[in-house]
Each structure stands twice: as C-alpha cells, then as structure tokens.
Amino acid sequence: MADVSMLIDGALVDGERDIDVVNPALAEPFATAPVPSDAQLDQAVAAAKAAYPAWAATSVAEREAALHACGDILEANADMLARILTQEQGKPLVNALREVNGSAATFRRASGKALADRTSEDADGRRIVQRRRPLGVVVTIVAWNFPLSMMVGKIAAALVAGNTVVAKPAPTTPLTTLRAAMLIAEALPKGVLNVVGDDGTVGPKLTSHPDVRRISFTGSTATGRKVMANAADTLKRLTLELGGNDAALVLDDCNPKEVAGGLFTGAFGNSGQICVAIKRAYVPDALYDDVCDELATLCEGAIVGDGLEQGTQFGPLQNKAQFDRVRGLIDDAAQHGTIMGDSGTLPEHGYFIRPQIVRDISDGTRLVDEEQFGPVLPVIRYEDPEDALARANASPYGLGGSVWSTNPERARSFAERMESGSVWINRHPDLAHHIPFAGANQSGFGVEYADEGLEEFTQIQVITARV
Ligand code: NAD
C-alpha cells in the first residue's frame, strides 16, 4: 500500500501497483505513490461523467462555497503539505508553504460570476442571450515544477465553471496533490474531483479517452504535440501551456547592478525551473562586463541545499533526467563560452547545480536556442538593440519576454515588438491569477487565469427567442 491514496468516485483507493517517489535533495526514494489500473482510470472518468449533471446544475454560489471549503482545508494543513512538497519537489520550505497557501487562496477566490448570462440584444421581438455552459469531464495534467499550484489553478477554474475533473500530477511529484485530494474529498460531492497517480503511462490514456471533453495541459512542447494529436479524435477542447525560452532584452540606459539583480531573480527562481524564467539575457556592449560580474557575484553568494534546511535559497533540480539534461547543456556551453559564478559548496548527494551564467556565448548554441529549465543563464552580448530584438524573437517559443530600461517609452516600443504572450518591463516574470496568461507560437495556445481563462472551461451557447 502506497503512502497516499487516489481519489476515485469519492473513495480513497489504492492503485494497481506503487512507484517510488524520489527526494531530489537526497537522490533516494522517500515515499511511494499509487498507479491506477486501466479499469480504475475508466472508473475515474465514468465517475466524473456521472457526477457532471448534478454538479453542473448547482448554482455558482454553491460551487464557490464548496471550493472555498477546499481552500480552508488546504490552509489548515499547509505545514504538512509544504513539507511533502519540499521533499518531492526540492524547493525551499518557505517557498513550498507559499505554494500551498497560494493554492488555498486560488480555491477561495474561485468565482464564476464572469460566466453569468449576457443579453446581447432585446428589441423588436427578438431576445438574444449568450450563455456559458460547462463542458463535462475535464482532464488536468501538469508538470513537476509547481505541482500543487498549477493543478489547483486548473481544478478550481474547471469546477467553478460546472465541469467535473480527473486530475493527473506528474509521475515524479504526485504526493502533495494526492495528499491534498484526500483532504478535500469531504468538501466535494463524490465523483466531482478524481485524482489519480501515474508511472508515466497514464497521460495518453486520459487524453484519448472518448468521454473526456476538455484537456487543460501544462508541460513541454514535445508532449503538447502528442496531447493535441490525442485530442483530435473526439475534438476535445484544449489549452496547452508549454515550454518557453524567454528572452530578457536589457537596454543601454540601465543601471548594471540593478538590472543584474532583476535578471538574477528572474532566471534562478525555483532553480530555473519556471516556464517563464529568464532563459536568455541580451545585454549591450556598454554594460556587458559589469552585468556579467554582478550576476556572477550573486550566483557565488547563492545558498544551495536541501529545501528542508533553514536558509536554503535554491533547491535541487527536481529529477535525475532534468539534472542530466542541464548538466549536458552546461558541458556543451563550456565549449562555446565562459562559465561564471559556479563556485561555492554543494551537498554531497542530490541533483544540485549551483546558479551560474555563461558569458561570451551566442545564438546558435544549445544553451541559447533550447529551453534549459535549470539554473544556468546564457548572457549574450549585442551592439544593436534592433538586432538583439530580432534574435530574441527568432525562437519557436513565445511564452514570456522582458525589456529592461529606465526610459518607459523606449521600453514600451521594444516590448510591443516582442513576439510572446506576456511581456514585462523591468521585471520578469510577473504573473497573477486575475491577469490572463497565454503562450504565443509553440509555447501553446489557449488562455489560463482571469475571466478569459475561465471562459475556456465553457462552451458558448446562444439562445435567440422570438418574443
Ligand atoms: P512533460 O511534457 O514531460 O510532462 C508534463 C506532464 O505531461 C506530466 O504530468 C507528464 O506525465 C505528462 N505526459 C507525458 N507524456 C504525456 C502524453 N503523451 N500524454 C499526456 N500527458 C503526458 O514536461 P516536464 O518535463 O515534466 O515539464 C517541464 C516542461 O513544462 C518545460 O518545457 C516547461 O517550460 C513546461 N511548463 C510550462 C508551463 C506553462 O505554463 N507554460 C508551466 C510549467 C512548466
């Protein structure tokens, strides 16, 4: 029996088998998680389908109240959940606690008010009402960098809109989500929320299931393509929040020390494992050496270690595959540039990599062109800001981007020409649940958060009456 259960049709159940969950700070298993059989997956989808009509028929206020109760439960258990999150994900405990409390707040502020009926015409004997109807069974799938908050964001929006859910966390970070589901089960009618484990085989089974109406997916672009293909058969609605290779474009009117502080925070948060982390920095000739030196000093001062230890600022990479990938990118980058900032201690075990930069590297190298999703930032020198903008835009991705300048108009003129869904000025990233978030190009499509994101969990229905 695993250390956590799955939630299927209101019951807490074991899986067909268990998998080990590894603590990345120790590089060894510390708990087990269940994996569902195919029959259990079908049962989870069937339970969500059966629960749908009654849940969709509840009032928005009732659904908001149920989600509010889920938020209260998460908050009451925040310390326990945060410890699990740190152990399975690696992030410092203080950040894990922020993620759990943020997830509680997401449940509590879930609101369906934006979905109220709209009368778009009422004259000359014709009345047109636009409605937002829920879709049915929604599958939510997320990556391992913010396992709880990304999942709760999807679940809260799906449920408040009147859908029912089958949720699947990433195989390497299932515990916090399953533990949270065990707790909030009592606040929801049976079948409304189902949460299953995964050994890496479950995603395609859910995304191709004929009774699933919508998929809300966060993960890599490569997997996003597969999800899209699977959704095609039954034309499932789809939101894809995928990878990114966010560029920060620093203009020559910046203060190097200040801008280096902003770049450091934007690149290395969560040890670089943020979809909208700064993944490339374009810095002008005039500031280049100073910005690189400042960044290197900040990297050298970083406290890297086990997230359970007080004072840790940066945890390990979340899993061995990602650790190996980032190490490979660093080895390759060392052939094309100069590594700076990689000095300081590391724990003996675990998937640790210290924050570091690579200077004198340029486009056309793996570290610049690919998404590293780890704590190593290429800093690219430029002479002409128009050329730097063109290089920043020459990417298949288009998630976020930023412009750094003390001149607001100049910054704005570059920001408007960045080809990404979100652009920030003098900060990166800057996300909020009331602000829409959407990737451009191969960073995905569809919107998350805000009213625009909520609408994606619905189908528009127009009722035209002759009266
Ligand atoms: P991944 O695509 O390998 O996995 C993401 C999720 O998809 C996991 O739960 C995984 O089990 C599941 N999955 C794998 N194969 C599947 C399939 N064929 N069908 C359905 N589901 C499947 O991504 P990852 O490596 O775990 O996460 C890192 C990536 O996620 C990075 O590219 C990062 O930028 C991206 N990401 C994007 C956002 C965003 O909002 N845009 C947020 C966080 C992470």
Side-chain angles (χ1 to χ4, degrees):
M1 205 174 107
D3 292 306
V4 287
S5 306
M6 301 187 293
L7 173 62
I8 297 178
D9 202 12
L12 302 181
V13 296
D14 296 334
E16 179 183 59
R17 61 189 181 283
D18 298 336
I19 52 164
D20 284 336
V21 181
V22 171
N23 178 339
L26 305 174
E28 60 184 38
F30 77 105
T32 53
V35 178
S37 63
D38 288 356
Q40 284 178 309
L41 275 185
D42 282 339
Q43 204 190 341
V45 176
K49 189 177 175 188
Y52 171 67
W55 181 250
T58 55
S59 68
V60 166
E62 280 173 87
R63 300 200 289 266
E64 287 171 353
L67 293 173
H68 203 282
C70 293
D72 289 347
I73 292 169
L74 285 197
E75 194 181 66
N77 291 277
D79 288 333
M80 179 268 287
L81 291 168
R83 281 188 78 79
I84 299 174
L85 181 55
T86 289
Q87 285 171 279
E88 71 173 343
Q89 204 285 330
K91 63 187 61 184
L93 191 55
V94 55
N95 298 355
L97 196 56
R98 201 174 301 136
E99 181 169 345
V100 176
N101 283 324
S103 304
T106 299
F107 268 135
R108 278 203 293 251
R109 79 164 87 79
S111 165
K113 288 183 186 61
L115 304 177
D117 292 356
R118 263 180 258 163
T119 303
S120 46
E121 199 178 300
D122 193 3
D124 304 326
R126 191 168 77 150
R127 184 154 196 260
I128 302 178
V129 177
Q130 291 180 33
R131 304 185 65 231
R132 284 280 169 185
R133 303 191 67 225
L135 294 161
V137 179
V138 172
V139 159
T140 59
I141 296 178
V142 299
W144 38 256
N145 52 341
F146 289 89
L148 188 68
S149 59
M150 291 192 305
M151 188 61 96
V152 167
K154 292 178 188 303
I155 291 172
L159 293 186
V160 82
N163 305 282
T164 53
V165 169
V166 180
K168 187 204 82 62
T172 55
T173 53
L175 298 173
T176 319
T177 306
L178 287 166
R179 194 73 190 84
M182 291 165 71
L183 295 165
I184 64 177
E186 66 176 51
L188 296 166
K190 73 175 190 143
V192 164
L193 173 66
N194 305 270
V195 185
V196 296
D198 181 20
D199 61 352
T201 62
V202 172
K205 295 174 190 165
L206 285 176
T207 53
S208 55
H209 199 292
D211 288 335
V212 170
R213 291 291 169 82
R214 171 173 161 72
I215 303 162
S216 180
F217 176 83
T218 298
S220 64
T221 297
T223 307
R225 288 190 193 101
K226 295 182 192 164
V227 171
M228 195 169 167
N230 271 348
D233 252 3
T234 52
L235 288 180
K236 295 175 178 53
R237 296 330 187 235
L238 198 57
T239 297
L240 298 175
E241 292 294 349
L242 305 179
N245 195 6
D246 288 17
L249 175 58
V250 176
L251 299 182
D252 60 6
D253 52 46
C254 286
N255 172 310
K257 196 174 168 108
E258 276 172 25
V259 87
L263 296 179
F264 181 80
T265 307
F268 297 114
N270 210 36
S271 296
Q273 301 163 113
I274 299 181
C275 53
V276 280
I278 298 172
K279 291 171 181 154
R280 303 174 280 161
Y282 289 86
V283 177
D285 254 342
L287 307 182
Y288 192 77
D289 289 338
D290 288 346
V291 169
C292 288
D293 290 347
E294 285 292 340
L295 278 168
T297 304
L298 290 167
C299 289
E300 282 159 10
I303 303 169
V304 180
D306 187 330
L308 286 183
E309 277 166 26
Q310 206 161 6
T312 295
Q313 297 169 324
F314 300 93
L317 279 286
Q318 196 278 320
N319 57 70
K320 174 83 164 57
Q322 185 62 14
F323 173 78
D324 289 343
R325 179 174 151 69
V326 176
R327 282 252 55 104
L329 286 173
I330 292 172
D331 291 346
D332 184 73
Q335 312 294 313
H336 304 285
T338 306
I339 293 178
M340 294 177 80
D342 182 26
S343 61
T345 55
L346 277 184
E348 199 182 335
H349 304 291
Y351 309 134
F352 292 100
I353 297 177
R354 290 192 60 84
Q356 53 198 279
I357 65 163
V358 183
R359 61 165 290 165
D360 304 320
I361 190 165
S362 57
D363 309 73
T365 55
R366 285 188 65 201
L367 183 64
V368 179
D369 293 356
E370 297 180 22
E371 179 187 35
Q372 67 276 55
F373 216 60
V376 50
L377 176 71
V379 185
I380 306 136
R381 186 195 289 266
Y382 76 80
E383 285 171 16
D384 171 10
E386 293 296 336
D387 175 51
L389 177 68
R391 286 193 269 158
N393 283 338
S395 165
Y397 294 110
L399 199 56
S402 58
V403 181
W404 300 72
S405 171
T406 50
N407 178 334
E409 268 153 41
R410 199 170 166 226
R412 174 84 187 264
S413 97
F414 280 93
E416 286 176 356
R417 290 180 289 142
M418 275 203 142
E419 289 169 14
S420 56
S422 301
V423 188
W424 301 283
I425 293 174
N426 295 330
R427 186 155 175 180
H428 189 150
D430 195 358
L431 299 177
H433 275 268
H434 60 290
I435 308 293
F437 176 55
N441 211 353
Q442 292 183 37
S443 287
F445 52 73
V447 185
E448 280 209 306
Y449 308 151
D451 294 346
E452 291 84 350
L454 184 62
E455 282 182 359
E456 297 218 355
F457 285 93
T458 66
Q459 164 72 49
I460 198 161
Q461 181 187 48
V462 182
I463 299 183
T464 305
R466 295 284 171 182
V467 289

